[in-house]
Amino acid sequence: MATKEELVKVIVRCRPMSESEHTRGCQPVLSIDGKGGSCTVTKQDSDRLGRKQFTFDRAYSGDTTTQHIYSDIVCPIVKSVTEGYNGTIVAYGQTASGKTFTMQGVSEPSTQLGIIPRAVDDIFKNVSSNKSQQWVVHCSCYEIYNEEIRDLLGKSLTEKLDIGSFPNKGFYVKATPSSPSALRRTGPEDKRTYQSGQTQPCGSGRSERQKQDWSRRREVQGRIKINNSSLSRKSHLNISRGQEPTYTLYRDSKLTKLLQDSLGGNARAH
Ligand code: ADP
Ligand code: MG
């Protein structure tokens, strides 16, 4: 059975109010109990009925630095990746909630450097301090939007990539030299064992580069997809009648397929 440290952890990071929110005279509605992991939203001018409390594994307020969150939450995952486990960090939230700030971050102040550069740094520190083992580090960066996959580090942003699968090994993105963001370790003390770990930071937002290059055409596609989702009730009816569904089922989603190794099996997902 998984220990508490190995279970999926859900944390919330609440950002401070922005300058424009201050300028518009917005009032804070959040109070955070870090230790209890709870976050309370209070409607202005309302009695207790206007309060809603949400509880997470941890809750961080606006004055918490990325450095703090990294050492609390992410550092143990990166460490276990170098020990051969899979690990995943998912940033999820609405636009302007702070996903890019948390994952990519800013270099000044250095306490707000993001999770991705910190994790890369830790991985390479580990590699260089552990000379008794051979390491191969792969890095890839994909965008999945409307179920279409593009390689953000590839030559062409227009090329849509397909998913392939190896028996027993799972899914991979075709036309790339390797499976996604894989970090592998082989131990000279036991050549027969082959451990693989992967760390997969992923954001639920769209990349800035993609936003610039693709926004107009994709906004239209996005709206079509959203409209399609309103067909889901019809799809349920189709399933119950034994017909093909017309929307993407959870297990068929490309994100789920590519993160399969990292979310199940030999994984510690947070
Ligand atoms: P998202 O990627 O979720 O759309 P961003 O990361 O771009 O959102 O954040 C929106 C704005 O809020 C940016 O200007 C960012 O610098 C600021 N911001 C987000 N989180 C914090 C934080 N914890 N502290 C200070 N500023 C933040
Ligand atoms: Mg963003």
Side-chain angles (χ1 to χ4, degrees), residues 195-207:
Q195 287 186 302
S196 92
Q198 52 187 31
T199 176
Q200 307 237 20
C202 52
S204 64
R206 297 159 59 188
S207 78

Side-chain angles (χ1 to χ4, degrees), residues 13 15-16 62 94-101 112:
R13 181 186 200 183
R15 69 160 169 78
Q94 71 182 75
T95 300
S97 58
K99 300 180 295 295
T100 302
F101 188 87
Q112 298 289 30

Side-chain angles (χ1 to χ4, degrees), residues 201-220:
C202 52
S204 64
R206 297 159 59 188
S207 78
E208 300 308 314
R209 190 171 154 202
Q210 174 264 313
K211 253 187 223 162
Q212 287 158 15
D213 294 355
W214 286 92
S215 56
R216 205 174 293 155
R217 189 167 76 83
R218 306 270 212 97
E219 286 305 335
V220 176

Side-chain angles (χ1 to χ4, degrees), residues 54-72:
F54 303 89
T55 306
F56 305 86
D57 289 296
R58 295 293 293 269
Y60 296 97
S61 58
D63 56 4
T64 313
T65 62
T66 305
Q67 184 176 44
H68 183 115
I69 295 174
Y70 184 85
S71 65
D72 257 15

Side-chain angles (χ1 to χ4, degrees), residues 68-83:
H68 183 115
I69 295 174
Y70 184 85
S71 65
D72 257 15
I73 302 295
V74 186
C75 192
I77 304 174
V78 174
K79 186 169 176 293
S80 60
V81 166
T82 59
E83 290 163 357

Side-chain angles (χ1 to χ4, degrees), residues 2 5 7 16 38 44 70 127 139 141 154 164 191 209 215 239 253 269:
E5 283 68 38
L7 294 173
S38 74
Q44 273 182 301
Y70 184 85
V127 167
C139 169
C141 188
K191 292 276 187 207
R209 190 171 154 202
S215 56
I239 290 172
S253 108

